[in-house]
Amino acid sequence: AQRVTQPEKLLSVFKGAPVELKCNYSYSGSPELFWYVQYSRQRLQLLLRHISRESIKGFTADLNKGETSFHLKKPFAQEEDSAMYYCALSGRAGGTSYGKLTFGQGTILTVHP
Amino acid sequence: ETGVTQTPRHLVMGMTNKKSLKCEQHLGHNAMYWYKQSAKKPLELMFVYSLEERVENNSVPSRFSPECPNSSHLFLHLHTLQPEDSALYLCASSQGFSYEQYFGPGTRLTVT
């Protein structure tokens, strides 16, 4: 079974402060991890995936297999980062390779001015 | 309209009603998904369609019946629902092996 845990439902920081959104997972195979984001009145959209190892909007996330974590970090938070963030883990759907995403419960990030 | 569209955006139905949710994707993708988002639970995958064939049914009750007539359209037929089925139903699509799924705005369903 695969599971994604985001321990913080709410996270508040001030503008310019570092931010870390926690994500832990359990999966018996080799995982693929993602962060999705939903800004106010917008759709859920992909923020970044661990395979690409890139920084998007200043956010990075490193897969730590030893700690089974995929925390999302940004050194200096901005007000426009306020949103709901979901960590997701991929699996297999039936006999095909199409994405089956298991989502965490989400963390609402609020960045205060 | 571009991307993934869903209609209706809001739906209120009684437990004896029959209704359908519609999803349309304008991205040329070949996989489509239904998710359920309840207030106190994580986003839950319900169904996956690949090339118009259902490849995943995630233990969803039979009162939810999906239909994928072509690669651009996905329906969720609802009948004799329960109040606990009230939730936001999200449709998504993706291309091939990409796990980047494009989501629609959702249909907010209330069962009375």
Side-chain angles (χ1 to χ4, degrees):
Chain A
Q2 51 196 56
R3 176 180 284 183
V4 177
T5 302
Q6 293 178 250
E8 304 142 326
K9 291 191 73 173
L10 302 169
L11 184 61
S12 290
V13 300
F14 285 100
K15 177 182 174 181
V19 63
E20 180 179 68
L21 291 90
K22 291 183 167 43
C23 172
N24 289 89
Y25 67 90
S26 63
Y27 183 59
S28 55
S30 182
E32 283 194 60
L33 276 296
F34 307 82
W35 277 98
Y36 276 76
V37 61
Q38 188 168 25
Y39 300 103
S40 178
R41 297 192 183 90
Q42 294 189 29
R43 304 165 185 214
L44 191 61
Q45 57 187 292
L46 180 67
L47 178 63
L48 56 79
R49 53 190 300 188
H50 90 271
I51 287 180
S52 54
R53 301 183 68 82
E54 56 191 343
S55 173
I56 304 293
K57 298 184 179 182
F59 284 99
T60 59
D62 291 319
L63 179 60
N64 185 324
K65 292 186 179 181
E67 296 183 359
T68 60
S69 69
F70 188 57
H71 303 325
L72 184 68
K73 301 177 184 179
K74 185 169 182 176
F76 307 103
Q78 303 299 314
E79 290 179 68
E80 56 265 30
D81 296 328
S82 296
M84 171 76 98
Y85 291 81
Y86 293 94
C87 183
L89 180 150
S90 73
R92 298 292 182 186
T96 75
S97 299
Y98 289 102
K100 175 183 177 179
L101 290 174
T102 298
F103 285 85
Q105 198 131 2
T107 297
I108 299 174
L109 172 66
T110 303
V111 181
H112 300 283
Chain B
E1 187 169 347
T2 58
V4 181
T5 59
Q6 290 186 243
T7 54
R9 295 294 305 277
H10 301 272
L11 178 62
V12 179
M13 60 186 289
M15 289 191 285
T16 58
N17 290 160
K18 288 185 180 181
K19 296 285 184 183
S20 296
L21 309 185
K22 179 183 175 182
C23 175
E24 185 173 359
Q25 60 97 359
H26 309 267
L27 300 167
H29 290 165
N30 56 12
M32 297 185 77
Y33 313 79
W34 279 117
Y35 287 89
K36 177 183 179 182
Q37 188 172 31
S38 305
K40 297 185 178 179
K41 288 185 177 181
L43 202 58
E44 300 172 84
L45 179 66
M46 300 176 72
F47 300 104
V48 180
Y49 274 83
S50 166
L51 297 173
E52 301 143 44
E53 287 192 32
R54 191 189 314 178
V55 296
E56 178 81 3
N57 177 346
N58 211 24
S59 303
V60 179
S62 58
R63 57 186 184 269
F64 294 91
S65 174
E67 179 190 2
C68 187
N70 55 62
S71 58
S72 300
H73 294 85
L74 185 65
F75 294 89
L76 188 62
H77 303 300
L78 317 170
H79 63 97
T80 58
L81 294 191
Q82 305 298 311
E84 60 264 29
D85 297 322
S86 298
L88 181 69
Y89 288 85
L90 291 172
C91 175
S93 69
S94 69
Q95 178 57 34
F97 298 112
S98 169
Y99 292 105
E100 180 171 3
Q101 296 181 11
Y102 290 77
F103 284 82
T107 295
R108 175 70 63 186
L109 174 67
T110 303
V111 181
T112 60

